[in-house]
Each structure stands twice: as C-alpha cells, then as structure tokens.
Amino acid sequence: MDNTHQKKMQKRKELYEKKVLARQEKRGLFMINTGKGKGKSSAAFGLALRMIGHGRKVGVVQFIKGAWQTGERKAFSHWGDLVEWHTLGEGFTWETQDKERDIVSCQNAWNTALRLLQDESLSLLILDELNIALRYHYLDVHAVVRAIMARPAGLSVVVTGRNAPVELVAEADTVTEMDNIRHHAQNGVMAQEGIEY
Amino acid sequence: MDNTHQKKMQKRKELYEKKVLARQEKRGLFMINTGKGKGKSSAAFGLALRMIGHGRKVGVVQFIKGAWQTGERKAFSHWGDLVEWHTLGEGFTWETQDKERDIVSCQNAWNTALRLLQDESLSLLILDELNIALRYHYLDVHAVVRAIMARPAGLSVVVTGRNAPVELVAEADTVTEMDNIRHHAQNGVMAQEGIEY
C-alpha cells in the first residue's frame, strides 16, 4: 500500500467534501450550452436521459431543426408519457429563405415553450436552438428572459445554440461553451446517421 | 416577402451545400469530449441515444465513476439488447485512496474496452472518463491509441474526461472542449438528481 498516495488522496477527499458541503441549495437550474463545437444539443438530451431515468418528465421544443435529429426523437418516443416533444422549426433559415415564415414558426415554437415554462409537472425543459432564433431577432430576448426566470422553482431549463445573447447569459446559472478544437467535417467526413442526426 | 433576406439566405444555402458536397467520407469516428465544463459525458450519452434511435448497438465502459450517473444507466436499461453497459470504476481516486486497487480496476475496464473495440456489431463505444485513467498513468496511452485506431471501420468511439492526453488528441477526428463559462456549483447549488447523476 502506497502511503504517500493514500495521504494525498485523503487530503483531496477532505477538500472535495468541504466544497460539496458548502453547496446546500437544490432548485431548478437555467443552463446554456453554446459555442461552435459539437455536443450542445446532445448534452441537453443526455441530461434529459438522466431525468427520465429518475422517472421525471421532460419537455423539448426545437426552434430551428426540422427533419433533423430523428435519432434521438425516435429514442425518446419510447417514453411516451415522460417526454413531450415538439419540433416546430422548419430547418435552418437558409433552407426556408422566407423570413416571415421563419418568424411565424419561431413564434409558434415560443408559444409552446411559454406553456411548458408554466408546467409544474415538468422537471426539465430543453429549448433547442433557441439562441439561433434570438440571434436573428425573431423573438424578443427580454420576453424570453422574463418567462424563463418566472418558471416553477423545480423546473430546470437548458437553452442550446451558438451565439447565446448576453441578456440570456447574464441570467443563467450555468453556461458551457462547446469549443471546436478539431472537427471531422473539416477533413471531408460527411454528416452520418447516429453521429449528426 | 423580403427579397434581400431571400437573396442572402440563398447565397448562404449555396455555400452550405457546396461545403456539404465536399464531404464524401462515411466512417466510424474517433471523438474526444474534454475540458472542465459540464456536458462531456452527457453529450456522449446523447450521441448514444441517436445511435439507438436508428436501431444501432452501443457499448459503454465507465472507467472511474462508480455509483454515479444512475439516471442514464436506468434510462439505457430500457434497450437491453442495444446497449452493453459496464461500470467498472469504483469512484474517483480520492474515494478509494488505494492506488493499487485503482490500477487494477482501470485495467479491468480496459480489458472490457479492448474486447468491445473489436466488436463488429457495435456502432458506438463510449469510453467514459478514460482520460482520467490515462492522466494518472493507470493505463499505457500508446496501447490505448493503438487499440482505438485498429477498431472496425464502422465503429465510432467517444472518449470523455478532463485533460485528454496529447497522444490521444493527435489521433482524434473530432475534439470538443467543454469550457466552463459559469457553473451553478460556484453559487452554492448542490449536486442534484437528474442534473449531475
């Protein structure tokens, strides 16, 4: 038995436990996954899985992606009653090429989000790619912040998408930036089933 | 109808499609999720969900976490035959405080990983927290790189954990760094069911 290692780890354990004990609060969190890297939506869906594993209800509103992400949609459909899934976007804005239509579809998605933001039965609400809708000013960022901050105390919210607006970042409990150190698309690898969708 | 918008988006669409057409390769990818931020493992599990949604098989080997992440484990247990899950770690090294035991448990996990790295029926293998085991030099990084690079062509691998070693980063198709812009633990919020585990 390595005593130096044991002592070092004992110290680390004490430090860790002290830190953990200092955290006393339990409540729904407002989290943002942003940045140019991979994993913003996937991490949100991974979190949904955690919630579902504990028998808690999850809501998903997809603001931009239309036909995409069929993989996780299919997977989540296994838990019919634990997941309320709404894909209200029609694809990226360069696919529709119609600003008015994009605004209407974002507004529809936001109306659904507003309803779910008041749903006491939910533990987690994922507002997927909401940052994109905000970036194009298709929604009023102040109205979005107000609604998120007025949610039930037990409800956690994850907002995903590049370029999270500062007004949103200012209010979040946790902001994670997914940064692209390297990406396979740069080396000619195409979007693949199970990886990108 | 806003013509300026339409033209701008048409241009963006053409650029996007040109970029996408340049990507012709389809193959299993080697991905790394690293950094100090939240979402490294969650993003990997979100990816697993995509694969499962398409009816593909996924393997998971957890090198460090023991009792943790029960949420996703429970959720994944729904797909018995599509998921092969191994939790072989016994917790963080400051919990066991026994270096010899940690090395043995990492070696066990690696033996399982080695077997799954040769399994032609898998589409995705998650080596969760492998970076931690490598950081403590509990495993030989060169042997790990060799085994990952010799995997079947259709198998994607995701390695998670802070401090990904340079030897691993050098070979990966995609490296994402999850960066902590802000974290709720800094503001006294404790680890919660459905959020951290």
Side-chain angles (χ1 to χ4, degrees), chain A residues 19 29 94 152:
Chain A
K19 257 175 72 184
L29 298 171
W94 60 79

Side-chain angles (χ1 to χ4, degrees), chain A residues 38-39, chain B residues 31-35 39-45 131 158-162 164 174-178:
Chain A
K38 193 168 164 57
Chain B
M31 294 167 275
I32 299 178
N33 293 345
T34 191
K40 298 181 287 293
S41 298
S42 303
F45 294 129
N131 289 337
V158 188
V159 170
T160 78
R162 295 184 182 201
T174 296
V175 181
T176 308
E177 182 158 301
M178 275 68 173

